[in-house]
Amino acid sequence: YSPNSIQYALIQHPQIYVKLIFSEQLCDEKVTDLKFSFANCTSLVGTNILNFVTSTIGTFHGCSNLLEAPVIPESVKYLNGMFEGCSSLAHGAKIHDFTDGDIDSLYKGCLSLVDVPNIPNNITSMKKAFEGCTNLTTISNFNIPFSKFSLFDNSQIENAFKDCGKLTTIEIPVKKV
């Protein structure tokens, strides 16, 4: 399989809604970089990500009918803009600790996004991460310690929650001693 050929097929037939399920046994080679692979595939409603993928930068950018976020494997290191413009996505994906620490524009423009299950403690930049998520109400397990915010310069959190007028809950886990 080739992500580019799948993207081309989905863009050519926007009237057909598709949920793609990939199997490692069917892959001729291990594609590790899904950068913008399904960008603007408005017919994509769901898919999965295989365990050897390391980069999902912009993978679903503009997939306006994506209904469910795939499980993000621990192998994924880069998430910038992964779901940007996925206006039908209602629930965010669980994010594992990863080495890049950058979730810039991860959910930017996800108009239907209501909740996000977690933010890991190793995030170092979240510029525009939730900008324009007008229905976002809850972020659970926000694990970035408050002491870390003083290390961020303003540009690293610039517009992270811009236009998130319904955001009422950010759950911060309490460590038991």
Side-chain angles (χ1 to χ4, degrees):
Y1 99 93
S2 163
N4 291 336
S5 63
I6 293 169
Q7 178 193 32
Y8 180 77
L10 291 175
I11 289 174
Q12 295 303 308
H13 303 285
Q15 70 281 8
I16 301 171
Y17 293 103
V18 178
K19 180 174 183 178
L20 297 172
I21 303 297
F22 295 103
S23 167
E24 289 185 33
Q25 292 79 20
L26 298 177
C27 297
D28 295 335
E29 60 184 78
K30 292 190 186 290
V31 177
T32 60
D33 187 351
L34 293 180
K35 183 187 267 184
F36 294 97
S37 292
F38 302 106
N40 300 310
C41 291
T42 56
S43 58
L44 186 66
V45 296
T47 190
N48 64 323
I49 298 174
L50 296 175
N51 288 325
F52 43 76
V53 171
T54 58
S55 178
T56 56
I57 295 171
T59 298
F60 303 108
H61 183 279
C63 292
S64 57
N65 288 304
L66 187 69
L67 298 174
E68 56 188 67
V71 172
I72 299 174
E74 291 185 35
S75 60
V76 174
K77 308 291 184 223
Y78 307 102
L79 296 169
N80 308 42
M82 181 180 183
F83 298 109
E84 184 174 350
C86 294
S87 55
S88 297
L89 185 66
H91 307 286
K94 181 175 182 346
I95 304 170
H96 297 282
D97 289 338
F98 53 92
T99 57
D100 184 56
D102 182 342
I103 60 169
D104 293 349
S105 299
L106 178 61
Y107 295 108
K108 181 181 176 187
C110 292
L111 304 176
S112 299
L113 190 68
V114 175
D115 56 40
V116 175
N118 75 314
I119 301 294
N121 68 1
N122 62 332
I123 299 301
T124 56
S125 179
M126 49 191 288
K127 290 179 256 180
K128 302 179 181 184
F130 304 99
E131 181 180 326
C133 295
T134 55
N135 287 300
L136 180 63
T137 61
T138 305
I139 298 176
S140 303
N141 295 309
F142 191 86
N143 288 299
I144 301 174
F146 282 116
S147 60
K148 197 170 190 177
F149 281 112
S150 62
L151 299 176
F152 285 0
D153 84 23
N154 287 335
S155 67
Q156 292 172 303
I157 58 171
E158 178 183 3
N159 295 322
F161 300 103
K162 182 179 180 188
D163 299 326
C164 295
K166 293 183 181 177
L167 182 60
T168 57
T169 306
I170 297 179
E171 297 174 4
I172 300 170
V174 176
K175 291 185 179 181
K176 295 180 181 180
V177 182

